Amino acid sequence: MSQKTEKLLSLLDGQPVIPVLKIENVEDAVPLARALARGGLKVIEITLRTKTALESIRRAAAEVPEAVVGAGTILDARQFDEAAKAGSRFIVSPGLSRELLSAAAGSEVPLLPGAITPSELMTAREAGLDFLKFFPAEQAGGAAFLKALASPFAGIRFCPTGGVSARNAKDYLDLSNVICVGGSWVAPDDLVKAQDWAGIEALARDAAGLAKH
């Protein structure tokens, strides 16, 4: 698992913000991925919250080679397998289960599972995972909670998502145990519906410019 964590970190390549995307219209997948990549956010997470999600992953992965396409909201082994076959280069889950751990162990695709409580963090650590999604970040206690975890869980790093925005992203990125954040603000629904790819590119560029420290 630790080797796969390093693989995931290398895919991120220092990117401070991962766009979390809910794509309703499959025709938006390719131009959206291209706009985000042009803005400097090549690593994107397409969530399995819509009927078009897997096809969106498939198209973006095949037609936008500059993008690193991952799948989010993966809840079980079947979804893990489907997303990997669609071309996902990493898998994101809101939580952690034995079934997901087993699926990840048998795959070359790295898993970024969600964990919040000390017990969940210890379970992930025992499985060899030290890069975790912290979700829902704001609702679970925000940057202050994550800061409190840094000392007892010194070897674990996080990607907070859930309530993270342009307004508070730096609060998280300034923490020593945060690698990056995930957020949907770089591709808001109104701009996607309007197919305002230039506007999304500009938001992505601003987000890519957020300094880690």
Side-chain angles (χ1 to χ4, degrees), residues 12-116:
L12 283 170
D13 193 26
Q15 182 174 308
V17 177
I18 300 177
V20 179
L21 310 174
K22 187 177 74 171
I23 299 178
E24 301 284 355
N25 180 2
V26 71
E27 300 299 330
D28 291 334
V30 168
L32 177 56
R34 284 180 178 149
L36 291 166
R38 282 196 306 269
L41 302 182
K42 65 176 185 175
V43 181
I44 63 174
E45 174 191 337
I46 298 176
T47 62
L48 262 65
R49 298 182 186 183
T50 66
K51 295 179 180 178
T52 61
L54 286 173
E55 182 59 23
S56 295
I57 290 168
R58 206 171 281 116
R59 292 193 188 187
E63 299 181 40
V64 192
E66 64 270 30
V68 177
V69 182
T73 322
I74 300 297
L75 303 178
D76 53 43
R78 177 184 59 80
Q79 290 182 336
F80 188 111
D81 185 56
E82 288 175 343
K85 287 179 178 176
S88 300
R89 294 174 64 183
F90 63 96
I91 300 292
V92 184
S93 173
L96 184 62
S97 69
R98 290 193 185 96
E99 183 181 352
L100 272 178
L101 284 174
S102 178
S107 173
E108 289 301 311
V109 180
L111 171 67
L112 178 62
I116 294 178

Side-chain angles (χ1 to χ4, degrees), residues 118-172:
S119 293
E120 290 170 343
L121 300 182
M122 290 170 68
T123 298
R125 184 174 176 272
E126 287 175 6
L129 294 161
D130 59 11
F131 180 34
L132 305 170
K133 173 176 178 172
F134 185 76
F135 172 84
E138 281 292 284
Q139 295 84 347
F145 190 98
L146 267 175
K147 185 176 182 179
L149 294 174
S151 181
F153 296 101
I156 295 181
R157 297 159 289 178
F158 296 93
C159 175
T161 70
V164 181
S165 66
R167 176 184 54 80
N168 61 11
K170 278 286 281 143
D171 295 339
Y172 290 98

